[in-house]
Structure formats: C-alpha cells, structure tokens
Amino acid sequence: SQKIEQNSEALNIQEGKTATLTCNYTNYSPAYLQWYRQDPGRGPVFLLLIRENEKEKRKERLKVTFDTTLKQSLFHITASQPADSATYLCALSNTGNQFYFGTGTSLTVIP
Amino acid sequence: NAGVTQTPKFQVLKTGQSMTLQCAQDMNHEYMSWYRQDPGMGLRLIHYSVGAGITDQGEVPNGYNVSRSTTEDFPLRLLSAAPSQTSVYFCASSYSLRTVNYGYTFGSGTRLTVV
C-alpha cells in the first residue's frame, strides 16, 4: 500500500524566515497532491493543490513543488509569521476523488 | 453556512457499548467520508460515500458501519466499542468534481475515548 511520510519532528523557525516542509511518498504514483493546515482541536483546512504535470504552484506566501522523480513535494512558507504556527498535512490521490493523508508536520514560528 | 457539523464533540464510552457519531453538511456535497486521526498515524479513511444510498469501505472499516439515506447526513456507527477505537474522528465532504481544486471541507471533530 502507499506510504506517505512527512517531517517526523516538529519544525521551529524564526519569524520572517522561510519554512520548508517535506512530503515523501512510496508505492504510489499520485496525479494530485494537496496541502492542508490543521490548528489544534480543529479539522484540516485546504490550502492548495498541485498536479503531477506542474513543477511549482504559488499562492500568496505559499509555494509548493512536486517532483515525481524524487517522489517528493516541498511546501514553503515565506516571510513566516507566528500565525502560521500549525500542523500541515499533505494528501495524495491518483484519481482526484480519494485522497490519502500524511502524518503531518508541526510548525512553530517564533517571534 | 454551517459547513460540516459533527456531534458530539466529546464522548466517553465503555468497552462494548455502541454509539453513533453524527455528521451533517449543508453544502449539497455528494461526497462524504469519515476519518480517524491518531498520533503518528495521520488521517485514515474509515468509510466514504459518493452519494445517497452509496457507501464503501476505506482503509480501516472494521468495527464501524455507515449509511447514507440523504445527501446531508452521514452517520458513523460504532457497533461494540473497543479501546483501540479511542481516537479523534473527522467527517469530511466535497463536490465530487471539485475535490481536486477545492479539497475536502472538514468538521471540527469528535474526540472519543473508550475505557
């Protein structure tokens, strides 16, 4: 079955720096990859999507890359702010209907 | 819009008890699903439905039942609770043709403890 791994350890960065989160997968060839944000005690919230034929996607301070050769997606938050502190989840699908989620990475932005 | 509403928010059950977790959405989404979230395991799909009257199993369906009699509601039934079912349960929904671009809309979760 597919395996989706994200940074196992929490990530702490200084305000204003760029945060980079990793999503690696094996035994899978997803056509779509999504990123979600989850705050404590809340459900995940959809952030953005990247398709297998797209190398990079940007939305405001967010940038996502998708390397199907390395089987990896990188999620960047530039000019990070304390309000960006949350857990970030990647989700993969080869059909666009059913998505499988990674374990998430906890990000803390230190003022 | 209320979005996806889950009830209850918290529940404690004794081993062997049964209960139903409720999920309702007011967005006319065809697709609805139930996930459980455990530390270090991520979100795992329990059951899903692509429309009223249609349900199917996900990755971890054992011990759970679902039905979809209306577009709005998708209850999850625990038949005989076990400590291994202690988890946070999330209901999610989407327009089937828009899941890719708009993602799932999640409820706020039900925290279940089985003692």
Side-chain angles (χ1 to χ4, degrees), chain B residues 39-75:
Chain B
M41 301 289 289
L43 284 161
R44 291 183 292 168
L45 182 66
I46 304 172
H47 285 285
Y48 66 96
S49 169
V50 298
I54 306 170
T55 64
D56 206 346
Q57 297 180 351
E59 302 169 83
V60 289
N62 292 339
Y64 308 95
N65 271 357
V66 292
S67 60
R68 183 99 179 265
S69 56
T70 66
T71 300
E72 295 78 18
D73 300 299
F74 191 44

